[in-house]
Amino acid sequence: MSLKVPKANNLQLFKEGYKQAQGLEDAVLRNIQAVSELSDLVRTSFGPNGRNKLVINHLGRLFVTSDAATIIREIEVVHPAAKLLVMASQAQESEMGDATNTVLIFAGELLKRAESLLVMGLHPSEVIKGYELALAKALAELETLSTYSLPKPFTLEALASAFRPAIASKQYGFEDTLSKLVAEAVLAVMPSNPKSFNVDNVRVVKIMGGNLSMSKVVQGMVFGREPEGMADDTSFLLHAKVAVFTSALDISQTETKGTVLLKNADEMLNFTTGEEKQLEKIIKEIADAGVKVVIGGSSVGELALHYFNRFNIAVIKVLSKFDLRRLCRVVNATPLARMGAPTPEEAGFVDVFETVEIGGDRVTVLRQLVPGDQGYDPTGQGEKTRTATIVLRGATANHLDDLERAVDDGVNVVKSLMKDSRLVPGAGATELELSKRVEEYGSGLKGLVQHAVKRYASALEVVPRTLVENAFGGAEGNEILSQLWTKHAREDGPVWGIDIELERDGTLRATEHEIYDSLAAKSWAIRLATEAAISVLSVDSIIMSKPAGGPKVPQQAGNWDDDD
């Protein structure tokens, strides 16, 4: 008989202040609960009838939006398991720009379905294996569901219909207006090779006042301010050379302070003459180099402005570093950190520089002409970087911000369609068909993994179910889902989706109403959500170290040296 070895008491593995949670109850189920809360938070914001969230971030800035990417970015999630889900949705946002909410609600549903299996006694590894099999089957079936591809060459109507559902999910009711604006802007900047389409070439400028119907697309870059100088004949310039400076356009200040003793009036008059002559010489060199437009990335001094006006050079301030970089790409200029005449390689070139009025506001437009435009110069070398700006009008800043997010989603859908032009039926039709096919696949499997595969299939139903719940509520929603399941059993089943306007029985043929989703975006969303859920399920222990920094001592009232 072996002797019992006594366990050592007070065995300290970690430094003081560490927290450790392990086991099914403390780690796995708590992680699932945290992820479910995050998923439920954004679930009500899904689809065209999704509710807005009013979020006030740590800086006190107000956000009123149903955009899941904005919501989770501003609420600052700290739970480690929920952060895994946030990172998956951020990966979806950066890669595809759309379907971030799908990632969150699908991953949350997968974990909810896994919870009951774990409580019944299945090991997490069995659930993970089943989910991996179901993912492979779902992605394989998704490839067969494509019913439509974008026709080439691209037309305004085809592009607008392709990303109308993405915009409708953010701005239901305005999707027709916004999708036409985005399609017009995208076509204006489309390069000869569509795969090299750059989303940065479509900008958004928000001008307060008016309503959405007054919004329009302006060919070129638009800045919501007039040029700084009041030089003659600079409100419209054709084929102008451009110099871009990141530094302040002013007299350079000395690093040390000095005291100057002036003894008479002549000394006072001559005191600033030297630096004035030096500044005039620099600006004359810029003018002699043929520069007609100067872009400043910082402040413009009054004296420098005086000389720019004298030499008939238009000056405009662009304070955003992103806009300055984008402008350099459009005019093909090198940003200069010092004030002086640019070399021929550093100078840029713009076809049209003009000041126009939009809705009572004076704005400056820089644009490159394309073949067919009046004044186009065919001798220009190489393909010019074209840019288009969507000028959005609206009554409030919050509404304009939300319109901008919808436009960004639309432009990003175009980016994903340039890589893969295949589209699948929208309105929840694709997810329900995948759910049906994965369920059939799970029924043919043997062993414990079949339970996980079937739970995966039922989790896919969360997309149409959420669309229905957000549009009609629970009782009527169950009836509509039953109708949808019946129609998916037919031959033309894969194209039937949810009709959120409830015109007939709550279902519609998505292809007839031109409701399409990007196949690539859906594939990424399903893959990222499954991987996030598997990552959470594979965790069996949470080890948190003591936060850095000293103790959080509350501020004492009264003076610091008062006696107690």
Side-chain angles (χ1 to χ4, degrees):
M1 191 175 89
S2 60
L3 293 172
K4 185 182 176 185
V5 180
K7 285 188 178 179
N9 292 325
N10 302 322
L11 180 65
Q12 193 167 4
L13 184 62
F14 303 115
K15 285 168 71 175
E16 196 177 335
Y18 265 76
K19 290 180 186 174
Q20 186 176 13
Q22 59 186 4
L24 183 68
E25 191 67 42
D26 286 344
V28 184
L29 297 184
R30 282 198 176 187
N31 284 347
I32 291 173
Q33 187 184 353
V35 170
S36 299
E37 279 189 32
L38 177 66
S39 176
D40 290 342
L41 177 72
V42 293
R43 189 169 169 172
T44 51
S45 296
F46 183 69
N49 290 84
R51 316 292 290 176
N52 282 342
K53 298 284 183 287
L54 194 151
V55 181
I56 300 165
N57 70 1
H58 64 290
L59 298 173
R61 192 176 168 201
L62 185 76
F63 295 86
V64 182
T65 181
S66 62
D67 181 36
T70 305
I71 294 166
I72 61 168
R73 186 172 61 245
E74 299 304 331
I75 58 175
E76 293 183 26
V77 176
V78 294
H79 193 282
K83 264 191 174 177
L84 286 171
L85 211 62
V86 170
M87 286 190 280
S89 68
Q90 285 171 345
Q92 176 75 12
E93 173 73 14
S94 61
E95 188 65 33
M96 289 292 160
D98 190 32
T100 48
N101 208 338
T102 308
V103 173
L104 291 166
I105 65 169
F106 182 46
E109 191 69 16
L110 282 174
L111 289 169
K112 282 183 194 172
R113 305 278 176 174
E115 184 178 10
S116 57
L117 291 177
L118 296 173
V119 170
M120 283 193 293
L122 250 73
H123 195 271
S125 62
E126 295 284 354
V127 179
I128 290 169
K129 190 178 176 187
Y131 277 7
E132 284 172 346
L133 287 171
L135 171 64
K137 178 65 177 173
L139 293 179
E141 291 293 341
L142 185 63
E143 295 289 320
T144 67
L145 290 176
S146 175
T147 55
Y148 177 71
S149 287
L150 272 182
K152 291 180 183 178
F154 301 117
T155 62
L156 187 75
E157 291 76 18
L159 275 176
S161 68
F163 47 71
R164 189 181 287 118
I167 293 174
S169 67
K170 302 287 182 296
Q171 290 292 328
Y172 187 50
F174 301 121
E175 68 270 16
D176 289 334
T177 309
L178 282 172
S179 57
K180 281 177 186 169
L181 285 171
V182 176
E184 190 183 334
V186 166
L187 280 176
V189 301
M190 186 66 72
S192 53
N193 178 15
K195 286 191 177 177
S196 59
F197 170 76
N198 189 351
V199 292
D200 281 348
N201 292 339
V202 178
R203 294 181 69 245
V204 174
V205 168
K206 298 168 285 188
I207 296 179
M208 197 94 78
N211 56 36
L212 186 62
S213 61
M214 297 178 185
S215 303
K216 63 178 182 177
V217 175
V218 177
Q219 306 282 350
M221 285 192 80
V222 176
F223 298 101
R225 60 194 307 156
E226 287 187 89
E228 301 300 311
M230 300 299 290
D232 300 331
D233 304 324
T234 56
S235 60
F236 182 86
L237 295 170
L238 201 62
H239 306 309
K241 194 178 269 193
V242 184
V244 182
F245 298 99
T246 57
S247 58
L249 303 174
D250 203 354
I251 301 161
S252 57
Q253 300 290 328
T254 54
E255 289 183 10
T256 56
K257 290 183 180 180
T259 305
V260 180
L261 182 62
L262 302 173
K263 294 180 180 176
N264 53 45
D266 288 337
E267 286 183 1
M268 191 168 188
L269 288 170
N270 295 330
F271 174 61
T272 56
T273 306
E275 60 185 20
E276 283 177 14
K277 284 182 178 174
Q278 181 68 19
L279 191 62
E280 184 180 8
K281 182 188 169 191
I282 291 170
I283 293 173
K284 187 174 187 304
E285 284 174 2
I286 293 172
D288 291 343
V291 173
K292 287 288 179 190
V293 179
V294 166
I295 313 293
S298 187
S299 60
V300 181
E302 289 185 9
L303 186 60
L305 203 54
H306 164 71
Y307 287 120
F308 280 126
N309 288 344
R310 183 186 287 184
F311 289 108
N312 256 5
I313 297 174
V315 184
I316 183 167
K317 279 197 293 188
V318 179
L319 300 178
S320 165
K321 292 284 183 287
F322 297 105
D323 279 348
L324 202 65
R325 197 179 306 152
R326 194 181 279 141
L327 182 61
C328 286
R329 194 172 64 245
V330 170
V331 301
N332 198 20
T334 304
L336 304 173
R338 42 121 190 118
M339 195 171 164
T343 62
E345 294 81 19
E346 291 170 337
F349 189 82
V350 67
D351 285 340
V352 177
F353 175 90
E354 61 182 336
T355 307
V356 295
E357 189 169 322
I358 297 177
D361 288 13
R362 301 281 291 172
V363 297
T364 305
V365 180
L366 288 91
R367 73 171 188 268
Q368 305 288 26
L369 297 175
V370 293
D373 289 346
Q374 191 176 359
Y376 172 70
D377 182 11
T379 58
Q381 295 178 352
E383 188 178 353
K384 292 175 180 174
T385 302
R386 284 176 276 168
T387 185
T389 303
I390 300 172
V391 180
L392 291 176
R393 308 296 308 283
T396 64
N398 278 322
H399 182 52
L400 283 171
D401 287 344
D402 220 23
L403 287 173
E404 184 184 10
R405 291 181 199 110
V407 167
D408 283 344
D409 273 14
V411 176
N412 277 298
V413 167
V414 175
K415 181 184 78 169
S416 66
L417 288 174
M418 294 305 111
K419 296 175 186 172
D420 187 348
S421 61
R422 290 176 298 168
L423 294 157
V424 291
T430 299
E431 284 83 0
L432 205 77
E433 184 63 23
L434 287 177
S435 175
K436 171 175 159 268
R437 295 186 185 186
V438 174
E439 175 78 31
E440 288 168 3
Y441 168 68
S443 300
L445 292 174
K446 293 179 181 177
L448 293 173
V449 291
Q450 66 171 305
H451 300 294
V453 173
K454 286 182 177 180
R455 292 299 165 101
Y456 189 99
S458 58
L460 278 163
E461 196 191 317
V462 72
V463 173
R465 182 176 292 281
T466 306
L467 283 171
V468 166
E469 284 174 0
N470 289 347
F472 312 115
E476 197 169 6
N478 287 334
E479 191 180 325
I480 292 168
L481 272 177
S482 300
Q483 293 269 5
L484 202 57
W485 273 110
T486 307
K487 289 188 176 173
H488 271 258
R490 296 177 357 194
E491 255 185 55
D492 63 342
V495 299
W496 285 92
I498 303 293
D499 181 5
I500 55 168
E501 291 176 354
L502 199 64
E503 287 183 358
R504 287 171 298 177
D505 58 355
T507 61
L508 53 73
R509 288 175 66 92
T511 48
E512 271 181 21
H513 292 77
E514 294 186 343
I515 302 171
Y516 295 109
D517 291 337
S518 164
L519 187 145
K522 207 166 279 298
S523 172
W524 269 88
I526 291 171
R527 187 184 289 113
L528 284 168
T530 309
E531 285 174 3
I534 287 172
S535 297
V536 173
L537 286 173
S538 60
V539 171
D540 75 333
S541 182
I542 305 171
I543 306 159
M544 286 189 286
S545 61
K546 184 181 178 182
K552 304 288 187 287
V553 180
Q555 190 71 32
Q556 291 181 348
N559 197 14
W560 60 274
D561 62 348
D562 282 349
D563 292 331
D564 291 335

